[in-house]
Amino acid sequence: METDSAYQQTLDYLYSFVDYSLQRSFRYLPEHFDLERIQALMTALGNPERDYPIIHVAGTKGKGSVASFCASALRAAGYRTGLYTSPHLEEYTERIQIDGQPIPPTDLVTLVETMKPQIEAIPRLTTFEITTALAFLYFKQQGVGAAVIEVGLGGRLDATNVCQPKVTVITSLSYDHTYLLGETLAEIAAEKGGIIKSGVPVVLAPQKDEARLVIERIAAQCQAPLTQIGRDYLFARVAHTLENQTLLVWPASDQWRLDTFIESGGGHEWEPVRLTIPLLGYHQVENAATAYAALQVARQAGFMVDETAIRQGFSEVYWPARFEVLQRFPPVIVDSAHNRDSAEKLRRALDDYFPGYAVILVFGASEDKDIHGMFAELLPRVRQVVATKSVHPRAIEPEVLVEMVHQFGRPARAIPQVEAALEEALGLAEGEAVVMVTGSIFVAASARQAWKAMPGEKRLQLIGNRK
């Protein structure tokens, strides 16, 4: 109990600082976001981020998945590997991991106490800046051999941008946080591309031309070698089930070898790299190809990670609440889609894995998201919506969601508590439809917790009454 109390006090302390992620509106401007505060804090801590090689990952969607693929492969290669991501799914400690294990609460308490003098000497620090510094320092203290760092928001002014990585990765770019990052893909790409450093190689996931051209320009200005998926590395999905999916990936320069391999029916001595991943949906194939290319570039930058480690690491990656199938029969799925692009990818995954199935959608989102755009992608595939709400200051009221759903001609009902909304959806599915929970990572997390806490007998009771 004493440990729990100390941990809660530590969390209360961290959240006592400015946390822009909890605010309903703010402007992404230097008076709110600049690197001076985090730079001062890192200097006061002895710049621990310089003590190990880093892969730095930005993007609108897929950055957490790509970071997880990279970290898992590095771990399989024998590195003691740090992974920093945000936000957390269920517990704050998930943000700071070593070899797949979150920082123990006792270590977090000790680390914060150690850092308090430096923290309190710098005015206007934010919760995210402090958390980023905690990660960098903890990784140094624990002697990691490599770290994968995910950008929090944007890139150019993000606290993680104090690091000097060996490789920079930019995943799929789309419209999100437009009131902060810009109204066009070009503006968003300029913010994300702000993590590109002089001479540091960049790996770019497939992009729309508007975003790609901006990243190409920034990379050229920084003399940063640019590797593009779809141009320099090619990939193809060859199989997918509810357990995993398999892809091939190869350098574009080996296309003639691939052609020979295909023509020979797989009998040629050369063959492309074959990767099996447990993350589902075609977008994860793209993420895996991006991570694979990033690791190839990382190898050239001095990382010791071979093909065997990559294959093993990718097959063991764990990144929950991304088209995560909690139950197969009837299907119950949670996903963290929170913009129109990710909703489109979610709909495609539904069509891919559950063609012809009716869908009962449990949906909750933050009010600043493109909810209309997400509904435009999802609702044509949905029979009925249960609108809900996460415990988050920016969450939109379920009654407002119901009104929006009705504009699309679909029935909906408002049930604010996620646990009750999930139970309602299971009853509506009657064992014959997919129950799909999405709209935000906070709703996905609440649904996962509710599902795990729900007794098996209750699940059977809810879904067992078929018509």
Side-chain angles (χ1 to χ4, degrees):
M1 288 297 292
E2 187 174 337
T3 300
D4 292 343
S5 176
Y7 174 57
Q8 187 56 55
Q9 289 174 11
T10 296
L11 294 183
D12 292 342
Y13 174 77
L14 291 171
Y15 283 123
S16 71
F17 293 84
V18 177
D19 187 352
Y20 288 113
S21 71
L22 299 179
Q23 297 188 13
R24 289 181 176 266
S25 63
F26 60 90
R27 301 184 67 196
Y28 191 67
L29 295 173
E31 57 260 35
H32 292 154
F33 296 85
D34 64 51
L35 298 183
E36 290 185 6
R37 295 186 301 269
I38 184 67
Q39 286 169 340
L41 181 56
M42 298 316 300
T43 298
L45 295 172
N47 294 116
E49 77 282 4
R50 299 178 184 176
D51 282 22
Y52 40 83
I54 288 172
I55 297 175
H56 197 196
V57 186
T60 306
K61 295 299 298 180
K63 62 183 189 289
S65 298
V66 169
S68 296
F69 278 125
C70 289
S72 188
L74 290 171
R75 186 163 72 247
Y79 282 94
R80 184 166 172 77
T81 305
L83 174 63
Y84 178 56
T85 59
S86 63
H88 57 271
L89 189 62
E90 295 179 2
E91 191 58 59
Y92 184 92
T93 52
E94 298 167 17
R95 296 173 178 234
I96 304 170
Q97 298 185 23
I98 294 179
D99 288 345
Q101 297 301 310
I103 180 174
T106 51
D107 286 4
L108 182 68
V109 171
T110 301
L111 195 61
V112 170
E113 287 299 317
T114 300
M115 285 176 54
K116 275 185 177 179
Q118 292 87 352
I119 291 171
E120 293 171 2
I122 300 169
R124 298 189 305 116
L125 279 170
T126 69
T127 299
F128 184 74
E129 288 167 345
I130 296 168
T131 306
T132 301
L134 284 168
F136 284 137
L137 182 59
Y138 187 66
F139 292 160
K140 176 183 178 179
Q141 290 180 348
Q142 295 297 311
V144 302
V148 184
I149 306 295
E150 179 196 16
V151 167
L153 174 66
R156 180 175 63 92
L157 299 177
D158 188 78
T160 64
N161 206 24
V162 295
C163 73
Q164 293 294 322
K166 295 292 186 183
V167 181
T168 294
V169 186
I170 298 176
T171 65
S172 176
L173 300 180
S174 57
Y175 295 97
D176 198 17
H177 301 292
T178 54
Y179 61 101
L180 306 176
L181 305 179
E183 298 290 338
T184 68
L185 274 183
E187 290 173 325
I188 292 169
E191 289 294 336
K192 305 287 185 180
I195 70 167
I196 296 174
K197 308 290 194 305
S198 177
V200 176
V202 184
V203 176
L204 182 65
Q207 307 290 344
K208 293 181 179 177
D209 287 346
E210 185 180 355
R212 176 182 56 80
L213 291 171
V214 172
I215 300 301
E216 287 179 344
R217 174 176 54 77
I218 296 173
Q221 290 171 345
C222 293
Q223 296 185 314
L226 179 62
T227 299
Q228 295 189 44
I229 312 306
R231 185 192 71 178
D232 304 305
Y233 278 89
L234 307 176
F235 65 95
R237 182 169 69 174
V238 294
H240 65 282
T241 69
L242 283 174
E243 291 184 353
N244 54 46
Q245 48 187 346
T246 302
L247 66 143
L248 304 178
V249 59
W250 64 96
S253 59
D254 282 338
Q255 182 62 46
W256 66 275
R257 288 191 172 95
L258 183 79
D259 295 341
T260 304
F261 173 78
I262 293 172
E263 290 168 2
S264 68
H268 193 261
E269 60 181 18
W270 179 92
E271 62 180 48
V273 173
R274 182 180 297 264
L275 302 171
T276 299
I277 59 174
L279 304 185
L280 306 182
Y282 184 79
H283 56 288
Q284 293 294 2
V285 172
E286 179 180 300
N287 290 333
T290 301
Y292 176 83
L295 290 164
Q296 299 304 309
V297 173
R299 182 189 295 175
Q300 297 168 15
F303 286 77
M304 303 296 289
V305 53
D306 60 19
E307 300 295 314
T308 300
I310 294 174
R311 284 194 294 269
Q312 178 185 338
F314 280 33
S315 70
E316 296 173 348
V317 72
Y318 179 67
W319 194 233
R322 279 75 182 177
F323 204 80
E324 181 182 9
V325 181
L326 300 181
Q327 175 177 287
R328 290 194 183 187
F329 305 107
V332 179
I333 302 164
V334 294
D335 189 83
S336 300
H338 61 262
N339 72 353
R340 182 165 188 159
D341 180 70
S342 56
E344 179 192 15
K345 289 173 179 173
L346 173 56
R347 190 198 71 230
R348 289 182 177 180
L350 281 168
D351 291 341
D352 218 4
Y353 290 91
F354 301 100
Y357 273 69
V359 176
I360 306 298
L361 179 66
V362 179
F363 188 93
S366 296
E367 65 178 3
D368 58 321
K369 299 300 180 182
D370 179 14
I371 296 170
H372 186 277
M374 286 192 278
F375 280 170
E377 299 296 341
L378 292 173
L379 292 191
R381 189 68 172 76
V382 168
R383 185 171 77 193
Q384 187 161 347
V385 176
V386 180
T388 191
K389 181 181 180 182
S390 66
V391 182
H392 193 279
R394 291 191 286 114
I396 193 168
E397 294 299 328
E399 292 77 12
V400 178
L401 290 175
V402 168
E403 292 178 4
M404 296 177 70
V405 173
H406 287 165
Q407 295 171 15
F408 285 85
R410 289 291 185 271
R413 60 190 69 181
I415 300 182
Q417 289 189 332
V418 174
E419 179 180 3
L422 178 61
E423 292 179 5
E424 179 73 7
L426 288 168
L428 290 169
E430 299 177 323
E432 299 173 348
V434 176
V435 173
M436 179 75 241
V437 184
T438 194
S440 83
I441 192 171
F442 309 109
V443 169
S446 296
R448 288 182 87 250
Q449 290 174 317
W451 178 262
K452 288 189 288 186
M454 191 182 298
E457 299 80 6
K458 187 170 186 178
R459 293 179 197 168
L460 290 173
Q461 182 182 9
L462 289 167
I463 65 179
N465 299 321
R466 296 180 181 229
K467 284 186 177 180

